[in-house]
DNA sequence: TAGATTGTTAATCGATTAACAATC
DNA sequence: TAGATTGTTAATCGATTAACAATC
């Protein structure tokens, strides 16, 4: 739990994972220092913006020198909260749910998929890559008993909102929503939408410009 | 091909698919008219913003009355360019590629998945839901010969940029990128990123606020 | 010390909201 | 006509960029 004086804007927050990606990469490639100018060129931002962004959280650089890659990376890791693990569940063991359950990007990042849920008796009781598939009836019990902090929602559109209601009622505070639907959730519950159709239609728009 | 006098801002463009979703839903539910105020309440925007957004493209309402749902829906459909079909390919027939190949959100929307590509000899030559899985060696030939306008990229990170290069060289002008990597593409090629890891880390940030 | 680059304040730019005349 | 709601201009708010003093 961290708390910052200034309210950090969503624009900045949305850029944080990108900072993390680039700094992680620089660190892996053995870079020791980087200036805001160099990082800006790399990321397609301006040096000014990078300094403003970072200073929403604190002063991580050294005047006349720049930023130590490793230190800045670690700072971002802490800011993002990925210095600790998160217990997650995937709801809906269809193709998408299964794809996410072994998504390469999560590896070694503290995202722990504890279970998947479905109603299909063909799937329930089985296991995929060591992740058990449980029946939807067991959802509330599992969420309560396993310290689950993130629910990844991959159910059909028709039961999207209903399932979200169950998740929220069970006290889960974060939903990654793959259902092409804007969820209505109580105050304090975070929803991050990944809407593949919306993204595709943005693309068709841009194609016709 | 449409062309507008004023340059429409990305903020507006990103909201268009959402307008489409809501208007489609209203239309299906038999609503005939809607005011900017009513739509705003529904979508969590302001009436003013909706009127500004729509007026980037033209005047679709009637003073004193509001907007005819069907007409406005059709206008948005045209603006998004989804009044015509798009030939697409999915590159990478892993779990994610396969999930997207029968994603429910695309049904009846003119998104035609013409082929999937992979290097795995276990997969190549087979078919999934009528979509053939071809070898990566055939990519350029297929893109050129089948009027493909959108490539959906679901390959491993390591070959993401290389594959994007091949796509661009073949003349494809739109890439939906699921690879957790910022692609470097020539001027005029549209990239829409769906970065699941970035979204998840945004969520972990918000959880720790 | 001189040069470089940060942290931060001020200026600009763009997006959202408010207001209201036009008009259905 | 009177009431309602648009289209559009003006005002505000927020985010990005520029500038520069602080300082390593």
């Amino acid at each position: 739990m961290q708390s910052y004086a200034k309210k950090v804007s969503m624009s900045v927050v949305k850029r944080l994972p990108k900072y993390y990606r680039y700094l992680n990469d620089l660190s892996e490639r053995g870079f020791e220092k980087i200036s805001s100018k160099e990082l800006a060129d790399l990321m397609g931002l301006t040096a000014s913006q990078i300094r403003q962004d970072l200073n929403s959280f604190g002063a991580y650089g050294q005047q006349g020198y720049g930023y130590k890659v490793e230190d800045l990376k670690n700072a971002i890791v802490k800011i993002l909260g990925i210095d600790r693990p998160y217990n997650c569940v995937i709801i809906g063991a269809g193709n998408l749910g299964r794809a996410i359950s072994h998504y390469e990007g999560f590896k070694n990042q503290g995202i722990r998929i504890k279970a998947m849920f479905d109603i299909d008796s063909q799937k329930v009781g089985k296991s995929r890559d060591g992740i058990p598939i449980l029946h939807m009836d067991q959802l509330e019990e599992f969420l309560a008993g396993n310290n689950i902090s993130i629910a990844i929602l991959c159910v059909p559109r028709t039961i999207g909102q209903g399932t979200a209601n169950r998740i929220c009622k069970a006290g889960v505070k974060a939903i990654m929503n793959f259902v092409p639907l804007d969820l209505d959730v109580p105050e304090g519950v975070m929803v991050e939408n990944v809407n593949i159709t919306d993204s595709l239609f943005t693309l068709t728009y841009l194609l016709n410009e």
Side-chain angles (χ1 to χ4, degrees), chain A residues 49-132:
Chain A
Q49 184 169 43
I50 287 181
R51 296 204 299 279
Q52 288 277 27
D53 283 358
L54 296 177
N55 279 95
S56 318
F57 303 100
Y60 300 108
Q62 285 164 255
Q63 272 137 324
Y65 174 81
Y67 299 85
K68 283 197 173 139
V69 170
E70 203 60 23
D71 290 358
L72 188 53
K73 190 196 99 179
N74 290 335
I76 302 266
V77 162
K78 275 196 113 167
I79 290 166
L80 283 173
I82 51 177
D83 52 346
R84 68 171 184 90
Y86 293 86
N87 294 330
C88 309
V89 297
I90 295 174
I91 309 181
N95 291 282
L96 190 58
R98 262 133 64 165
I100 290 157
S101 76
H102 35 243
Y103 186 63
E104 59 170 337
F106 298 165
K107 301 259 170 68
N108 320 316
Q109 296 302 166
I111 300 298
R112 297 181 181 164
I113 311 290
K114 291 299 197 180
M116 301 180 76
F117 291 86
D118 211 294
I119 49 162
D120 184 346
S121 58
Q122 293 273 304
K123 293 171 185 165
V124 171
K126 297 202 173 117
S127 213
R128 304 252 322 174
D129 306 303
I131 302 168

